[in-house]
Amino acid sequence: MRQRKLWWAVMTVTLLAIGDAAIGGGFGLGVRTGMLLPAAGSYNAELSTAELLEQGYSHGLFLRQQISKHYGIEAGVDLGWAAFAQAHREEADKTPHFVLPAVTFCNRVGLPVGPVVPYLAAGVGIFPWRFTRDGLTGDPVAVEGEALQKMSAGLVGGVGVELELARWAAIFVETRATHLLSRDRFLFGEHFSEQTVLTVGGGVVLSPWGGRR
């Protein structure tokens, strides 16, 4: 309950900031890519998600409004996925996957030192995740008779460093943690838990509409 209240509080602050931000100087478009690493959570009574899954991948696009020198907001869409480890693939001709689409809203606080900007990001998201029987678009697997898929809220937090190449372009590296509020005893039983994944990677931000602040 406390996590859900926090989710709504962060969402409200972010949406109010978006409403107050004037589209203009500091508005940019970014692309990011990296590795997806399961970090915490259980799949069943015997198996953690970190044991179940191999290293995966994540790619996304985002819009940023730099409101001040130190503060900005971002809205992004991402798609992450990770295949089951070979030892946990029950059908020889199929490759089950964990698939994690995401729509996220983040606040971003940076501490510029010349062209280098270390930053922290925190926000919320909606995640229509699923575990498939085969591939990214396969049918969901079943746990205790229920399809292992759900639209879950989640929390996002990260740390990174951005390097400004020009007034209108920058590159960055970052690590983000996503915590899915995915536990549902009624649907999935006692042993499927909330899930946490890490994404480690980087990307590019272009701000041709007036440059960066």
Side-chain angles (χ1 to χ4, degrees):
M1 182 63 69
R2 183 177 299 176
Q3 289 176 323
R4 294 183 186 277
K5 289 181 179 179
L6 177 61
W7 188 91
W8 283 112
V10 175
M11 174 68 85
T12 300
V13 171
T14 301
L15 291 178
L16 288 174
I18 292 173
D20 290 339
I23 302 300
F27 181 72
L29 172 66
V31 60
R32 56 189 171 220
T33 186
M35 300 179 296
L36 184 147
L37 306 170
S42 59
Y43 183 73
N44 56 34
E46 294 80 28
L47 198 60
S48 71
T49 312
E51 295 169 326
L52 174 71
L53 300 175
E54 297 178 341
Q55 174 187 300
Y57 303 92
S58 180
H59 308 294
L61 297 170
F62 60 91
L63 297 175
R64 178 190 297 173
Q65 176 68 44
Q66 195 66 30
I67 295 173
S68 69
K69 182 178 181 180
H70 298 286
Y71 175 67
I73 52 178
E74 291 181 357
V77 292
D78 298 83
L79 177 62
W81 68 89
F84 280 34
Q86 187 69 46
H88 303 297
R89 300 176 190 177
E90 297 180 357
E91 301 174 84
D93 60 338
K94 299 186 184 300
T95 305
H97 276 66
F98 172 56
V99 184
L100 183 64
V103 179
T104 57
F105 304 89
C106 284
N107 300 281
R108 182 179 177 275
V109 177
L111 298 173
V113 182
V116 179
V117 185
Y119 64 87
L120 300 174
V124 295
I126 296 295
F127 305 89
W129 59 268
R130 64 187 182 275
F131 286 82
T132 72
R133 291 185 62 227
D134 186 33
L136 296 181
T137 60
D139 295 330
V141 300
V143 171
E144 300 191 6
E146 293 291 340
L148 197 49
Q149 63 178 358
K150 191 178 179 182
M151 180 86 72
S152 295
L155 304 175
V156 181
V159 59
V161 178
E162 187 168 290
L163 174 62
E164 186 173 311
L165 302 177
R167 185 168 178 79
W168 53 270
I171 57 175
F172 64 91
V173 293
E174 68 174 14
T175 299
R176 290 200 179 198
T178 298
H179 182 69
L180 302 180
L181 304 176
S182 54
R183 185 169 190 173
D184 192 321
R185 292 185 177 92
F186 179 76
L187 290 179
F188 309 134
E190 290 290 330
H191 301 295
F192 183 81
S193 73
E194 296 180 349
Q195 305 290 326
T196 302
V197 300
L198 300 178
T199 53
V200 181
V204 178
V205 184
L206 300 177
S207 305
W209 301 281
R212 300 156 56 80
R213 295 190 181 192

